[in-house]
Every structure is written in structure tokens, then in C-alpha cells.
Amino acid sequence: MAKLKDVSLSSFSENSDLQYFNRETPCVVDLFYVNLKPVDTKNIYKINICLYDKEYDAERLSKFNMTMDVGKALIDVIEVNHYFDFDQYFKQPVEKRKRILLDLLYEDCKKLSEAENWDSTNFKLAYEACLEKDLKNVFYDKEKAWNRNRSMYVNLKVIFETDILQGIVEVYRKDGSLVLEKELFTVKPMQIQHPFFAKVKWLSRNKFRVAPISFFNQLTDDEFWDIEVEE
């Protein structure tokens, strides 16, 4: 029995104008996958959804007899290829674009479930959870990192949008009153990996250090923030 470990949605078109598209997809794919409970996918560990521009790519793809709109198993990965109307997509407002991506993810997962005899229940639940959250990918990477005398704690919040990945620190007193909310970084989303928070270390009762995990030079390897607040 295999559990699905990853889902991806990307453009592989030769249309260079579509590079921005692959920056938009991660926040929706991440939100869908985070809300996806384990699915028994037999021998399959990953679903790849690959999108192409018919005007730019049809002639090239025809040479490889590439099938469209049907899942094809490649050892432990299933790949689904589609022609996609990128022009129409980019005419839509950002929230509509996010919904288009989510619908595509879910519909492909549902069709694959029918074809491969998987239980599609958890795909549906993940889809519904994304809609309940209005497609807002906001989460806490760390919660309630208390200081030494437990008078204050730190939350590290991540806002993951189509155009930004933002890290925010929140400091609260024991009674729940907010002491500080501060933006620590804002970077452009990338298709592969992003900086997330690694740890919080209290240096004294009212001073702490936050360190990120850094990928692809979006943040320097030795970057961290020392923050002091009023008790």
C-alpha cells in the first residue's frame, strides 16, 4: 500500500511568457495538499499535472505521441497532460485564477481516482477545506514558543499568496494580549522551495531570536532576527 506524497501543477510550455504562471501555482497546490488526508494510491506516490499552450507546443508534443487529458503511470508517478488556455486564465482576477487552479487539481484527482480505483473521499474533503478557507493559505509555522518565565510567547505566521511569501512574527502576553506584530521577510514564491522559519530561541525574558530555513539565496544563510519587546 502506498500513500500519496506529493501533487504538482505546472506549465511545461515553451512559451517563455508563462514563467510567471509557475510562481502562482504553489500557494494553491500547497493549500490543497496540506488539507489532504492520506490517500491509498496503490503504487503511486505523486501526481504531476502538466499544462501546455496548444499554439506553442502542439507540434512539438505530437512528435512524442503525448496523450492529453488521461493519466499515464510512470513507475510510481502518474502524469496528466492538458492544453490550457493561459490567455483566458490571465484575464481573470487573482481570486478567480486561484479557483481555476483548485478546480483543475480536484477534477484531475477525482478522474484519476475513478480510473485507478482509489477512494476519492479525501480529495473532496481537501477541496472543500480550501473553499472554506476562501483559498487563503495562511498558517503558523511555530506556535506558542514561551519565554523562560512563561509571561510571553511567540507565534511565527506564514502568508503564502500567488505573488508573495511573507513571514510575520507575533508576540503575545500570557493573557493573550498582543505585544508585537512584525513582518520579517517578503519574497517571491518559487516553484520548488521557499524560506520558512526554523526556530525561535529566547535569549532573555524579553528578547528572542528567529532564524529561517533559507533556499536558493532568497535569504542569506546566516540571516536571523533578534527582537526585543517590552515586558
Side-chain angles (χ1 to χ4, degrees), residues 30-36 95 98 102 125-139 161:
D30 178 77
L31 183 63
F32 181 75
Y33 188 73
V34 164
N35 285 282
L36 182 63
E95 293 305 316
K98 289 164 72 173
L102 178 66
L125 292 174
Y127 176 76
E128 292 173 346
C130 293
L131 295 180
E132 288 173 4
K133 296 176 181 178
D134 293 324
L135 285 167
K136 302 295 184 186
N137 193 350
V138 180
F139 59 93
E161 273 294 344

Side-chain angles (χ1 to χ4, degrees), residues 27-150:
C27 78
V28 178
V29 175
D30 178 77
L31 183 63
F32 181 75
Y33 188 73
V34 164
N35 285 282
L36 182 63
K37 295 178 181 178
V39 179
D40 180 5
T41 48
K42 317 299 181 188
N43 312 328
I44 301 300
Y45 290 95
K46 183 175 182 179
I47 296 172
N48 280 340
I49 301 171
C50 309
L51 305 182
Y52 297 91
D53 186 320
K54 194 168 187 176
E55 180 182 352
Y56 280 81
D57 305 308
E59 182 177 352
R60 173 174 61 92
L61 297 181
S62 67
K63 297 176 182 178
F64 300 99
N65 297 316
M66 187 174 288
T67 56
M68 291 290 164
D69 307 319
V70 178
K72 181 179 180 181
L74 306 169
I75 306 178
D76 57 358
V77 176
I78 280 189
E79 186 172 280
V80 187
N81 302 300
H82 298 290
Y83 287 123
F84 187 75
D85 191 340
F86 292 98
D87 288 339
Q88 185 62 30
Y89 170 83
F90 280 113
K91 289 177 183 177
Q92 308 303 316
V94 63
E95 293 305 316
K96 176 63 175 177
R97 296 202 301 269
K98 289 164 72 173
R99 179 62 185 267
I100 290 170
L101 297 176
L102 178 66
D103 288 348
L104 180 56
L105 275 169
Y106 175 56
E107 288 301 322
D108 272 2
C109 288
K110 187 168 66 172
K111 289 176 182 176
L112 287 173
S113 296
E114 294 171 358
E116 301 293 327
N117 197 29
W118 302 339
D119 184 349
S120 64
T121 302
N122 287 344
F123 291 122
K124 182 179 180 182
L125 292 174
Y127 176 76
E128 292 173 346
C130 293
L131 295 180
E132 288 173 4
K133 296 176 181 178
D134 293 324
L135 285 167
K136 302 295 184 186
N137 193 350
V138 180
F139 59 93
Y140 286 93
D141 201 36
K142 304 286 183 185
E143 287 189 88
K144 291 197 171 181
W146 290 91
N147 65 355
R148 294 172 187 175
N149 65 343
R150 298 185 69 82

Side-chain angles (χ1 to χ4, degrees), residues 119-221:
D119 184 349
S120 64
T121 302
N122 287 344
F123 291 122
K124 182 179 180 182
L125 292 174
Y127 176 76
E128 292 173 346
C130 293
L131 295 180
E132 288 173 4
K133 296 176 181 178
D134 293 324
L135 285 167
K136 302 295 184 186
N137 193 350
V138 180
F139 59 93
Y140 286 93
D141 201 36
K142 304 286 183 185
E143 287 189 88
K144 291 197 171 181
W146 290 91
N147 65 355
R148 294 172 187 175
N149 65 343
R150 298 185 69 82
S151 62
M152 291 186 291
Y153 62 85
V154 173
N155 292 337
L156 300 178
K157 182 166 70 175
V158 177
I159 299 175
F160 198 172
E161 273 294 344
T162 57
D163 58 344
I164 62 164
L165 185 83
Q166 190 173 67
I168 295 173
V169 61
E170 301 173 341
V171 184
Y172 289 88
R173 292 189 179 89
K174 187 177 182 179
D175 64 5
S177 58
L178 181 66
V179 178
L180 174 72
E181 184 176 54
K182 179 181 176 65
E183 177 188 319
L184 295 185
F185 65 78
T186 298
V187 296
K188 292 291 185 182
M190 296 180 67
Q191 190 178 355
I192 305 173
Q193 289 173 314
H194 309 274
F196 287 104
F197 297 116
K199 62 182 179 179
V200 177
K201 181 180 180 180
W202 283 92
L203 306 175
S204 67
R205 295 200 314 178
N206 66 327
K207 185 176 181 179
F208 60 92
R209 175 172 293 176
V210 179
I213 301 172
S214 180
F215 296 105
F216 299 100
N217 297 318
Q218 288 178 294
L219 301 171
T220 60
D221 291 337

